[in-house]
Amino acid sequence: MDKLIISGGPRLSGEIRISGAKNAALPILAATLLAEGPVKVGNIPHLHDITVTMELLGRMGVSLVVDEHMNIEVDCSTIREFFAPYELVRTMRASILVLGPMLSHFGRATVSLPGGCAIGSRPVDQHIEGLVKMGAEIETDGGYIHARAKRLKGVRLVLDLVTVTGTENLMMAATLAEGTTIIENAAREPEVVDLATCLNAMGASIFGAGTDTITIEGVRRLNGASYDVLPDRIESGTFLVAAALTGGRVKLKDALPGTMDAVLQKLREAGAEVTVGEDWIALDMHGRRPVAVNVKTSPYPAFPTDMQAQFTALNVISDGTAVISETVFENRFMHVHELRRMGASIRLEGNTAITSGVPVLKAAPVMATDLRASASLVLAGLVAEGETVVDRIYHIDRGYESIEEKLTKLGAEIRRVPS
Ligand code: EPZ
């Protein structure tokens, strides 16, 4: 397992390009299972989760052609098995996204239950209940979801809670169902909209993506298409926090500011000067120490849970006390214990963290536990006195394309070593 070693101190400054969004690329690659012809997906980030998805599709017999720019052409006409094994699903829970498309296009699917993960139990009951209401026969046995359906039927679904991949799975399944499906209490994330736009380019008939009510008129077939994935708003937010935390400045190219209002608002509250254009975002801290900001995570368009750990790292070196509430996942404060090892002052009370800013953090050996927690430890290392060693960074490689190269380009002193 590799480690990242970061020497704190340099004020970041410079420009970087934002990669395509992991959480749009994953459902869109699953959606290729719905098409009668090849689907070419572009702007795909070079991440471990993408590699796992390609391995999963390849094992099913799906044809994949990848070029040097990570454009992936997928042709599911060669599919020979409808099975997503535990050994792959447990390393990447988003594999559950092949369930809806496989069932809707081929009438059968056997997909491992994802099981929990570090940040929570993360059940998939909404995915399963929705498909059953659409006429699927589903039993869970031996840790697997066994699903069968002649042709799914369009129905009105009211989700018990806002679920991103739940919305995506059901929306994909509904594209080939008989009749119209309405998904109420749908997730509004930009990645859901990106998936719907791609599906419509393939010939689907989806309305309302981005609102809490999505209508899908079933069609007989979906065709091949070409589609580029939207920029990653969480990678963008992470690098903006890196600049703010070091008192520096950064310009993000190929970014999408319109998907980040809540995060940009909090960065301005923290004292950053933030300016935006159609496809860029610039932040300048002018050497000032940030001011601690209160944060409460909620489904989009509210403040994203995937930015909570990064803002916790920002708050612990900011001026003042603030409250961070995590309302989406039940165990997403594991970075707190590691930040404390670096001298952070944080009190945990249930799903709330109260931070009291300290002027200096001290480098320490710390351990990544999940994707965004590992990012927050790297961020803290950028300002901690001394050399911070972040272990188990395979977590970070799941969600950030060459993070140390991009940070080095901004002036950080960071290197990867095999452990
Ligand atoms: C997606 O996960 C993202 N992953 C997560 O990003 C993100 O943190 C999360 O949405 C919330 O925004 C992808 O898009 C691949 P949920 P997802 O279903 O869909 C509960 C990252 O860092 N729930 O919206 O799995 C669930 O336990 C990852 O890139 C049910 O109870 O999240 C959670 O408490 C981490 N039953 C809440 O809903 C269900 O059937 C929201 O989960 C589904 C979800």
Side-chain angles (χ1 to χ4, degrees), residues 321-332:
T321 298
V323 176
I324 295 179
S325 301
E326 172 56 62
T327 72
V328 175
F329 289 111
E330 62 264 33
N331 185 33
R332 205 169 195 178

Side-chain angles (χ1 to χ4, degrees), residues 337-358:
H337 314 297
E338 299 302 299
L339 291 170
R340 281 175 175 157
R341 292 169 46 74
M342 299 173 75
S345 170
I346 311 173
R347 199 168 79 247
L348 279 181
E349 288 180 6
N351 72 344
T352 299
I354 297 99
T355 59
S356 301
V358 293

Side-chain angles (χ1 to χ4, degrees), residues 22-23 26 93-94 97 119 121-127 161-166 168 189 305-306 328-330 332 371-372:
K22 166 178 85 78
N23 290 350
L26 295 175
R93 336 171 14 76
L97 286 165
I119 63 178
S121 61
R122 301 185 73 181
V124 289
D125 52 294
Q126 300 294 301
H127 302 235
L161 45 88
V162 176
T163 159
V164 175
T165 50
E168 293 168 342
E189 270 69 5
T305 175
D306 293 348
V328 175
F329 289 111
E330 62 264 33
R332 205 169 195 178
L371 169 53
R372 306 302 171 180

Side-chain angles (χ1 to χ4, degrees), residues 255-272:
L256 209 49
T259 62
M260 304 180 60
D261 290 346
V263 171
L264 300 184
Q265 177 178 299
K266 285 296 168 185
L267 287 165
R268 291 183 174 115
E269 269 183 46

Side-chain angles (χ1 to χ4, degrees), residues 91-130:
T91 65
M92 213 259 312
R93 336 171 14 76
S95 309
I96 189 74
L97 286 165
V98 301
L99 174 62
M102 239 188 324
L103 183 61
S104 190
H105 188 190
F106 303 105
R108 54 189 160 146
T110 299
V111 177
S112 167
L113 278 163
C117 84
I119 63 178
S121 61
R122 301 185 73 181
V124 289
D125 52 294
Q126 300 294 301
H127 302 235
I128 292 171
E129 286 167 22

